[in-house]
Amino acid sequence: DLEFKFDATDSEYIFNDTRFILKEVQAEIMHADKEVPYMTEANGNMIARFRGAGGNGYENTPTAYMYNIDPFISVSKITFDARLFGSEPITYNEGAVINVYYKTDGGWNLLRTIEEELNVEFNSFTIDVNQTNVQIKIEVLHFSVNIDNIIFNK
């Protein structure tokens, strides 16, 4: 339910007592005709938009992302809903990419790239992680993507 605007630099937010770094992410109702039908009691009343660089005229940075600051004790999988930002018959963001990474003691390791599966309808994604003492990073490149209901499963 937290509403916030885009930050062009790393900014800390707290969700459910967990500290996250977000960059180029916002949660604000901007296009009610596209977003309100998705908003139900189960889905909540806010949808995050990750604004990867897309040459859309706004001042933005090459990537949008979020990751937990303090490692989770364990994560078996991550689930979320995602869609391209746009609506038929116009898709504003063909070519957007979602990368999901994990980090333990070393650098970021790519778990999965989501690209072809993205369209203007919300689709659910499940990514197996099976890591302990782990940080998880969700990154969006090239264009904007709505991502909602992110769940880190123990």
Side-chain angles (χ1 to χ4, degrees), residues 49-50 52-54 56 83-86 90-97 118 120 141-146:
R49 185 168 78 179
F50 287 63
N56 56 10
R83 74 177 186 114
L84 294 173
F85 178 74
I90 300 168
T91 301
Y92 302 105
N93 298 305
E94 289 183 13
V97 174
L118 292 172
V120 295
L141 302 172
H142 307 304
F143 293 101
S144 295
V145 173
N146 290 119

Side-chain angles (χ1 to χ4, degrees), residues 9 15 17 20 23 57 64 68 70 83 94 97-99 101 103 105 112 115:
T9 59
F15 306 110
D17 299 323
F20 287 89
K23 183 176 179 183
N68 53 303
D70 303 311
R83 74 177 186 114
E94 289 183 13
V97 174
I98 299 173
N99 288 321
Y101 302 87
K103 181 180 181 183
D105 295 330
R112 180 163 173 204
E115 186 171 6

Side-chain angles (χ1 to χ4, degrees), residues 78 97-104 106-115 127-129 131 134-141:
I78 178 175
V97 174
I98 299 173
N99 288 321
V100 179
Y101 302 87
Y102 74 93
K103 181 180 181 183
T104 53
W108 292 106
N109 301 288
L110 182 63
L111 277 169
R112 180 163 173 204
T113 296
I114 299 169
E115 186 171 6
I127 300 169
D128 291 328
V129 178
Q131 297 289 327
V134 66
Q135 291 173 275
I136 303 292
K137 180 178 183 178
I138 300 172
E139 170 189 63
V140 173
L141 302 172

Side-chain angles (χ1 to χ4, degrees), residues 56-77:
N56 56 10
Y58 295 106
E59 293 233 4
N60 59 3
T61 54
T63 181
Y65 54 80
M66 69 174 285
Y67 63 87
N68 53 303
I69 296 171
D70 303 311
F72 293 123
I73 294 170
S74 70
V75 177
S76 64
K77 65 182 177 178

